[in-house]
Amino acid sequence: MTESANGEQDTRIGVFLVDDHGLFRAGVRAELERAVPDVEVVGEAGSVEEAVAGIRHLRPDVVLLDVHMPDGGGAEVLRRIRPELPDVVFLALSVSDAAEDVIAVIRAGARGYVTKTISGRELADAVRRVHTGDAVFSPRLAGFVLDAFSDRPGAAPHSDPELDMLTPRERDVLRLLARGYAYKEIAGELFISVKTVETHVSSVLRKTQMSNRYELSRWASDRRLV
Amino acid sequence: MGCVNASPTSVRPSSAPPLVRWRNGRFVAGVAGGVADHLGVPVLWVRVAFAALAVVNGAGIAAYGLLWMFVRQEQDDVERELSPVERQQAFGLAALGIAVAFAGSAIGSPIVGWVVGPLGVAAIGAAVVWREADESQRRRWTEGALQTSRSTKLRVIAGALFVAVGITVFLLANLELGQLQFAVLAVVSTLAGVAVITVPWWLRLVRDLGEERRERIIEAERAEIAAHLHDSVLQTLALIQRQADQPREVVRLARGQERELRAWLYGPTGYGRRGGGDPALESGFTEALTKAAAEVEDTYAMDVRPVVVGSDRPLDDGLRALLLAAREAMVNAAKHSGAAEISVFAEIEPAEVNVFVRDRGVGFDPAAVPEDRHGLAESVRGRMERHGGTVRLRTAPGEGTEVHLRMPVEEKPDEEESP
């Protein structure tokens, strides 16, 4: 579907929608197609099976993934398709605000998490950002991650300090994200470049996905991810 | 939403079917059929295996009996036919198994004739009682009521008597003991026999009660969810339909309902967290701030999405002041900024609590605020400073506004920190 095969430079981002609610898929498709010229919806799926087959066949750039679906949900799609197609980027989209849901899809490999109430323009922005390799942290996700990496008394000791702790700078960046700052504003606030902000956020994402910290692995294991 | 599984078995489609005894198409108790289903082999193989195992000191029969005792019968009525050929085969194998068991022990022991007879009587007695327990269970499933008829009692007593007699005869024939010891042994063994016989019955009773209780709990949960959805979501949907021509009102209703449902599902004291929440924190800072944000959202029909980090604390005077100040800051942003969204971030640290209220609206020049505008000066700054807190304001025309509220708190003792 994407025209990247012919010589013409196609800058449109191919998006694949996975959600078990047809009405919601139609809504997102209409919003993206109306508002954003550089994002193209190349396909959609309403179940895990359809999603795996469709993604394999269409090779989209970005997959918008519902967290809650019958037979396993977004995490199951990630588990089945990601080892095979590591270049496809996943952005989770959900109505749930429960911390364990958010952390579970992030740990299964999604590069960001936004809630379904997000506007079409913001969604397109998030799609663009994950497509260029960035992570998308909504204020709420930033809050969850800050919480998960906090050092409360009684927290389990760290087995791998490199992965189990955030640097003070990463913490600063997350705090500003949680306060609703955009990357550019964070860069201005901390006197660093936008590129450095992106690096910090990507590093936080990596730690969230790889760390064996008790709080993270508990959330994940509750959902049978580990 | 939409992720309710039709049945628990659909969660693990790959694993073998659970071990249950067949209800239909069985020859004795459905053990062999159930084992065959569980292992995925023909039922004939299993029957042959049981018969063959009987050679080894009757192990096959013992295994069959134990499985009969401990494996429950399947719940669903699965259609199975026991064909005449199969029935003959099964009968032949059962007879063969019992025969080889006796033959095996007869060859091994000279007094086996004395043993086989009494033990056989005991086995039949036990079988009668086991079978009785099975039938009463089945009756409960079909009629929903347990009736203890006289014949049931008679059969239980008869079974116990059989066992007692069997054991007594066995002891009398095989042991040479003094009169007294003999009497004691006979009584003890009789009691033991009765206990053994009633074990499967008790096991079934406990298991059935557990299952009934589980079903009752599920039923109660379902009723609670339905009641809640009816009171909240359905009412709101009806309201939305009636006010479809007023988009602002519809958005307000939808947002309010979303927030309420979310709190019910995922909130600290909500449905999904029940049992895990700390009752002392029900009116903690997190919930209070969330509530304040919701009020502002409702009153001014705009998005206020609070993010709270850190372990919750109960409200004290300082935190109450912080809360009211934060609310005032939100109201100010809602009234004057012109933005559609307010970001609220609160971080609860051991020694202080920070709240940031931010909008991307028009902003203003703090120096140009007229003296009579008391909103920020009095209710925010005054309130905070009276309790030892500070207020920092960052704004400029066109740049939006951010209010940073900081309130020091007393460090909590360690034992309260455990989650």
Side-chain angles (χ1 to χ4, degrees):
Chain A
M1 283 289 233
T2 41
E3 314 255 313
S4 45
N6 61 29
E8 202 179 319
Q9 183 73 19
D10 187 0
T11 52
R12 291 171 63 142
I13 305 170
V15 172
F16 191 89
L17 297 176
V18 182
D19 195 301
D20 56 327
H21 291 97
L23 209 60
F24 182 76
R25 289 203 304 270
V28 172
R29 185 189 267 268
E31 231 171 12
L32 282 179
E33 280 172 354
R34 190 179 56 229
V36 224
D38 60 336
V39 173
E40 182 189 19
V41 180
V42 296
E44 49 185 77
S47 70
V48 172
E49 290 300 328
E50 271 176 54
V52 171
I55 295 166
R56 198 174 279 151
H57 177 66
L58 294 168
R59 304 287 168 106
D61 300 308
V62 176
V63 177
L64 289 182
L65 194 60
D66 187 17
V67 173
H68 290 287
M69 280 191 296
D71 27 282
E76 178 68 21
V77 176
L78 277 162
R79 251 199 307 284
R80 299 214 346 222
I81 202 78
R82 241 179 78 80
E84 193 181 318
L85 298 171
D87 290 341
V88 178
V89 183
F90 290 83
L91 177 62
L93 191 61
S94 169
V95 290
S96 164
D97 263 353
E100 50 268 39
D101 292 341
V102 184
I103 300 292
V105 278
I106 293 294
R107 281 178 76 83
R111 288 202 62 83
Y113 185 105
V114 289
T115 46
K116 281 183 175 174
T117 43
I118 192 172
S119 74
R121 192 182 44 78
E122 286 173 311
L123 181 60
D125 210 47
V127 166
R128 254 178 248 126
R129 214 182 305 152
V130 292
H131 179 53
T132 54
D134 279 346
V136 171
F137 275 51
S138 64
R140 198 168 283 270
L141 175 55
F144 287 148
V145 173
L146 264 180
D147 236 357
F149 279 99
S150 75
D151 276 305
R152 292 195 202 94
H158 316 124
S159 54
D160 183 354
E162 169 62 28
L163 276 181
D164 292 346
M165 275 160 58
L166 298 179
T167 65
R169 212 48 187 208
E170 287 164 354
R171 230 169 249 284
D172 291 342
V173 170
L174 274 181
R175 274 202 191 93
L176 288 168
L177 276 172
R179 276 159 68 178
Y181 279 57
Y183 282 18
K184 220 174 97 188
E185 294 165 326
I186 296 174
E189 177 80 16
L190 298 178
F191 305 107
I192 53 181
S193 71
V194 173
K195 194 77 220 150
T196 314
V197 175
E198 287 168 1
T199 313
H200 284 312
V201 176
S202 289
S203 159
V204 171
L205 180 78
R206 191 178 59 89
K207 288 179 181 180
T208 311
Q209 287 173 341
M210 314 285 286
S211 167
N212 283 320
R213 265 188 83 104
Y214 170 67
E215 289 83 358
L216 290 165
S217 34
R218 188 195 48 193
W219 276 333
S221 68
D222 280 353
R223 299 263 148 182
R224 305 217 185 95
L225 279 179
V226 181
Chain B
M1 313 240 151
C3 57
V4 182
N5 277 312
S7 73
T9 45
S10 67
V11 178
R12 298 172 294 146
S14 60
S15 66
L19 184 59
V20 290
R21 290 185 288 111
W22 278 7
R23 179 195 286 263
N24 298 326
R26 65 208 171 104
F27 179 68
V28 182
V31 170
V35 171
D37 275 357
H38 185 62
L39 299 175
V41 295
V43 61
L44 182 64
W45 294 11
V46 180
R47 289 188 176 132
V48 169
F50 273 123
L53 274 175
V55 178
V56 192
N57 274 338
I61 296 173
Y64 196 97
L66 287 174
L67 285 170
W68 193 350
M69 204 193 302
F70 287 107
V71 176
R72 76 190 158 81
Q73 203 171 34
E74 64 190 351
Q75 298 247 11
D76 311 317
D77 254 325
V78 183
E79 282 296 322
R80 278 190 215 93
E81 277 293 311
L82 188 64
S83 69
V85 180
E86 214 187 338
R87 184 183 293 275
Q88 272 176 15
Q89 265 176 357
F91 181 74
L93 283 168
L96 187 72
I98 293 167
V100 292
F102 289 162
S105 44
I107 294 162
S109 151
I111 55 159
V112 82
W114 285 103
V115 178
V116 166
L119 277 188
V121 174
I124 291 166
V128 166
V129 175
W130 286 338
R131 195 168 163 72
E132 178 50 34
D134 227 4
E135 265 169 17
S136 72
Q137 186 184 33
R138 209 174 313 137
R139 208 170 24 239
R140 212 172 328 156
W141 280 334
T142 49
E143 291 170 20
L146 175 68
Q147 301 160 330
T148 39
S149 64
R150 259 178 65 193
S151 69
T152 312
K153 284 180 192 160
L154 274 178
R155 263 186 272 187
V156 171
I157 293 167
L161 268 178
F162 269 126
V163 169
V165 170
I167 290 169
T168 313
V169 174
F170 172 73
L171 291 173
L172 192 66
N174 291 287
L175 299 170
E176 290 174 11
L177 298 164
Q179 258 333 29
L180 186 67
Q181 280 168 310
F182 175 78
V184 169
L185 260 177
V187 169
V188 168
S189 57
T190 305
L191 287 176
V194 172
V196 164
I197 285 169
T198 47
V199 157
W201 193 75
W202 290 116
L203 276 179
R204 291 222 171 79
L205 198 67
V206 167
R207 212 159 40 201
D208 279 5
L209 282 178
E211 212 142 278
E212 268 173 34
R213 195 165 150 261
R214 202 171 55 88
E215 270 163 25
R216 245 196 339 269
I217 290 172
I218 291 175
E219 194 47 50
E221 295 256 300
R222 192 174 297 143
E224 191 184 335
I225 293 174
H228 182 92
L229 290 184
H230 179 265
D231 289 350
S232 57
V233 180
L234 289 181
Q235 301 282 8
T236 308
L237 286 176
L239 277 176
I240 285 179
Q241 283 172 37
R242 248 190 275 159
Q243 313 198 349
D245 52 337
Q246 292 168 285
R248 202 179 151 91
E249 186 62 15
V250 167
V251 168
R252 199 180 63 77
L253 280 168
R255 279 289 292 143
Q257 182 56 60
E258 182 201 338
R259 199 176 49 237
E260 195 264 344
L261 191 60
R262 215 179 263 294
W264 187 65
L265 287 171
Y266 309 117
T269 56
Y271 185 81
R273 296 280 183 284
R274 202 163 15 172
D278 184 349
L281 291 177
E282 244 169 61
S283 55
F285 182 72
T286 304
E287 185 147 325
L289 186 71
T290 314
K291 209 175 271 171
E295 282 165 19
V296 175
E297 192 169 79
D298 273 350
T299 315
Y300 298 95
M302 61 190 308
D303 255 358
V304 186
R305 295 183 182 268
V307 174
V308 185
V309 164
S311 36
D312 205 1
R313 315 178 51 105
L315 284 178
D316 57 18
D317 283 349
L319 286 183
R320 226 167 261 129
L322 175 65
L323 191 71
L324 290 171
R327 192 179 189 285
E328 196 56 41
M330 286 184 240
V331 169
N332 267 323
K335 272 189 189 160
H336 305 299
S337 74
E341 193 184 321
I342 305 172
S343 303
V344 178
F345 173 61
E347 188 169 18
I348 306 168
E349 286 171 275
E352 62 179 40
V353 178
N354 287 285
V355 177
F356 298 85
V357 178
R358 181 166 194 267
D359 66 72
R360 290 166 188 276
V362 291
F364 61 95
D365 180 359
V369 174
E371 278 297 314
D372 59 331
R373 282 271 306 276
H374 282 296
L376 195 75
E378 185 43 38
S379 49
V380 175
R381 200 176 295 276
R383 215 189 286 273
M384 290 297 288
E385 280 166 5
R386 271 197 296 280
H387 289 89
T390 56
V391 179
R392 237 182 67 216
L393 184 68
R394 290 176 56 170
T395 182
E399 300 261 299
T401 308
E402 184 177 60
V403 182
H404 174 191
L405 309 164
R406 196 186 69 83
M407 181 64 73
V409 289
E410 276 176 44
E411 294 222 25
K412 280 188 288 184
D414 269 357
E415 65 268 13
E416 280 182 31
E417 294 270 349
S418 57

